[in-house]
Amino acid sequence: MSYFGNVDKIKYEGKESTNPLAFKHYNPDQVIFGKTMREHLRFAVAYWHSYTYGGSDPFGANTLVRGYDKFTGMDLAKARVEANFELLNILGADYFCFHDRDIAPEGATLQETNKNLDEIVALIKSNMKTSGKKLLWNTANMFTNPRFVHGAATTNNAEVYAYAAAQVKKALEHGKELGSENYVFWGGREGYESLLNTDMGLELDNLARFLHMANDYAKEIGFDAQFLIEPKPKEPTKHQYDFDAATTLSFLQKYDLAKTFKLNLEANHATLAGHTFEHELRVARINGALGSIDANQGDCLLGWDTDEFPTDLYSTVLAMYEILQNENGIGRGGVNFDAKVRRTSVDPIDVVYSHIAGMDSFARGLVVASKLLEDRALENFIDDRYDSFKTGIGADIVAGKANFKTLEAYALQNNPIVTKSGRVEVLRTVLNQYILNA
Ligand code: XLS
Ligand code: NI
Ligand code: NI
């Protein structure tokens, strides 16, 4: 059975190709800075958007037409596994990601739910074995079921907290079973609606306790995935605790979790927080916490998480510019397309087209960013901009030799202060030239 219309494996045809079923920029074996594009980018397909999502929005029902729509329950779950491995194969993507509830239906009890999951995990495992495809990360969906209406690890209800722990325990076991490289925590309901009914201190303490317990259990069972937290400022809750990279890092530091966790940063979450994607990546990178990315883009005219496939080259270039400068690049992380087709793109083939669009945009981003770095197109200017910290009083400041008295004595010499231009417009033109010509 084919769910994507018996499409052949997508090939690289180069910039001039007009074939919609070909890569124009993603050439998996092309070597950049000693690594292939495939190794740099580690593309992953997100189960929830590509197979589980049906095209509904708050005003309308599902629109997307899929070959597995005729199934329900476990049959549907099994068909989606087949669809997943077919799509990964068509795209030549090595990884996929899922929430527990994406892959198997919930049963009437936790026991039944776990049994369903075990069965699908076994099926996924055998497909991974034959295909060589890998799990970039798994996670637990603790936001869809009504039991999580007040939160999971930040709930007011200890029964729910225990349930959430049981769910993550199982997800960690499945992560180990499938050799997942990372494990993600995205706090879909970890936040609050109103302070009038909220004990924020207790909720955050409990969240930290939860994360410590998760880490302890992963160690206990020998699951050595990189743990990641995915920040998002709002939606579904009004105030999400993991607002952005900086907020999340300060939480991790306060609760002694900074050594255990890195961040999984998503482009659209950055824009919802009022940041650019590259800002979030920079904050994580300079703190040694850039772990993985959820590749998508928002719509600047809309105020919610539209999760569109990334096609904005400015964003992909500047994202790859951060990743290339990260220690070991994307490392154990990857580029996960946390992105969905528009609900008007109703055909299964649109899922293929949209991934090609995203993969090509990131591949182009990688090439342009590598050229920028190779030529030190921005670095030479930045070096020069901070020149004053290389000699004299500036060097003293950086070396930790200055104090307020020595700085005052220096200032009292009344040396002329010469302000240099920041040349932002020139640098933007340079960036344009690289995007057009690199
Ligand atoms: C939602 C998040 C979610 C996480 C995984 O906005 O992006 O999909 O990536 O739970
Ligand atoms: Ni995400
Ligand atoms: Ni998102």
Side-chain angles (χ1 to χ4, degrees):
M1 172 74 201
S2 161
Y3 290 107
F4 295 97
N6 288 312
V7 177
D8 287 337
K9 196 171 171 200
I10 308 300
K11 292 193 196 72
Y12 169 70
E13 289 185 4
K15 273 189 203 172
E16 309 303 325
S17 170
T18 54
N19 176 4
L21 287 173
F23 294 121
K24 326 290 182 293
H25 302 282
Y26 180 54
N27 184 5
D29 300 321
Q30 186 180 326
V31 175
I32 292 173
F33 292 164
K35 282 205 286 194
T36 62
M37 279 196 175
R38 188 175 168 192
E39 291 164 337
H40 275 290
L41 294 164
R42 294 163 59 91
F43 286 127
V45 170
Y47 220 92
W48 54 104
H49 285 314
S50 287
Y51 320 113
T52 317
Y53 173 66
S56 65
D57 73 7
F59 299 94
N62 285 347
T63 54
L64 309 181
V65 182
R66 298 292 181 257
Y68 38 73
D69 290 345
K70 55 181 182 274
F71 300 118
T72 55
M74 287 297 279
D75 292 334
L76 175 58
K78 287 175 192 164
R80 283 173 171 155
V81 172
E82 217 182 299
N84 176 48
F85 287 92
E86 183 189 346
L87 182 65
L88 292 175
N89 195 42
I90 290 171
L91 297 172
D94 293 321
Y95 296 92
F96 62 108
C97 301
F98 63 77
H99 302 81
D100 46 5
R101 303 301 176 245
D102 301 332
I103 61 167
E106 289 195 58
T109 60
L110 184 56
Q111 284 82 344
E112 252 180 64
T113 301
N114 285 344
K115 193 170 151 273
N116 290 347
L117 265 176
D118 288 340
E119 194 179 331
I120 298 299
V121 164
L123 183 63
I124 288 178
K125 191 176 180 184
S126 75
N127 275 271
M128 286 171 72
K129 216 169 168 192
T130 46
S131 64
K133 302 297 179 190
K134 289 175 268 187
L135 185 57
L136 185 67
W137 51 261
N138 66 318
T139 183
N141 174 334
M142 301 190 292
F143 43 88
T144 302
N145 192 294
R147 75 174 64 87
F148 298 116
V149 63
H150 292 294
T154 61
T155 173
N156 58 306
N157 184 342
E159 307 284 336
V160 175
Y161 191 95
Y163 193 101
Q167 201 177 321
V168 171
K169 177 176 176 287
K170 192 74 182 165
L172 295 171
E173 290 161 9
H174 284 150
K176 176 176 155 102
E177 177 75 8
L178 298 176
S180 188
E181 309 217 4
N182 303 273
Y183 184 88
V184 166
F185 292 85
W186 170 62
R189 302 272 169 200
E190 314 296 19
Y192 69 90
E193 192 62 38
S194 169
L195 276 182
L196 298 178
N197 67 8
T198 299
D199 184 343
M200 190 195 275
L202 176 68
E203 291 199 359
L204 286 166
D205 288 350
N206 279 347
L207 175 59
R209 291 183 183 105
F210 193 94
L211 297 176
H212 274 290
M213 286 190 264
N215 188 40
D216 290 346
Y217 188 66
K219 273 202 187 130
E220 194 179 320
I221 62 172
F223 177 37
D224 70 348
Q226 171 65 56
F227 274 18
L228 300 168
I229 294 200
E230 184 176 324
K232 186 176 183 180
K234 56 189 170 193
E235 197 203 18
T237 62
K238 185 162 78 173
H239 298 273
Q240 299 254 150
Y241 289 132
D242 300 328
F243 187 95
D244 61 359
T247 311
T248 307
L249 286 173
S250 91
F251 167 84
L252 292 172
Q253 280 152 10
K254 171 176 173 186
Y255 289 102
D256 194 24
L257 288 158
K259 283 203 185 65
T260 317
F261 282 84
K262 288 189 174 180
L263 303 181
N264 179 41
L265 295 158
E266 177 167 324
N268 205 162
H269 297 182
T271 49
L272 290 178
H275 302 307
T276 58
F277 190 26
E278 58 271 20
H279 167 91
E280 290 293 85
L281 298 175
R282 178 72 61 96
V283 170
R285 174 164 76 81
I286 63 170
N287 284 288
L290 172 47
S292 196
I293 66 169
D294 271 8
N296 62 16
Q297 70 188 28
D299 185 318
C300 64
L301 303 181
L302 303 174
W304 62 91
D305 203 11
T306 62
D307 287 339
E308 299 178 29
F309 274 85
T311 50
D312 176 348
L313 293 178
Y314 286 100
S315 177
T316 62
V317 167
L318 295 175
M320 290 314 300
Y321 179 76
E322 295 304 322
I323 290 168
L324 283 177
Q325 293 177 86
N326 195 38
E327 200 193 345
N328 203 19
I330 201 68
R332 298 181 76 171
V335 176
N336 169 46
F337 289 108
D338 195 346
K340 59 189 178 212
V341 293
R342 299 304 84 194
R343 74 194 291 267
T344 47
S345 301
V346 296
D347 298 336
I349 196 71
D350 287 309
V351 178
V352 179
Y353 290 144
S354 58
H355 280 89
I356 293 174
M359 290 163 85
D360 264 345
S361 300
F362 264 86
R364 184 72 187 144
L366 169 61
V367 169
V368 174
S370 72
K371 289 271 168 28
L372 280 167
L373 286 165
E374 196 173 288
D375 297 352
R376 298 184 52 82
L378 305 172
E379 280 61 36
N380 285 339
F381 182 84
I382 294 171
D383 265 8
D384 186 58
R385 184 159 182 253
Y386 293 91
D387 230 12
S388 68
F389 284 97
K390 284 179 197 135
T391 55
I393 191 74
D396 285 352
I397 294 170
V398 171
K401 286 187 201 150
N403 58 45
F404 267 20
K405 280 189 269 176
T406 63
L407 290 171
E408 183 198 43
Y410 185 84
L412 288 170
Q413 292 171 19
N414 291 313
N415 297 317
I417 290 179
V418 182
T419 301
K420 287 189 196 175
S421 169
R423 299 269 190 263
V424 173
E425 298 80 1
V426 172
L427 296 172
R428 286 189 180 148
T429 308
V430 168
L431 179 58
N432 275 349
Q433 279 179 303
Y434 273 80
I435 289 178
L436 289 167
N437 305 326

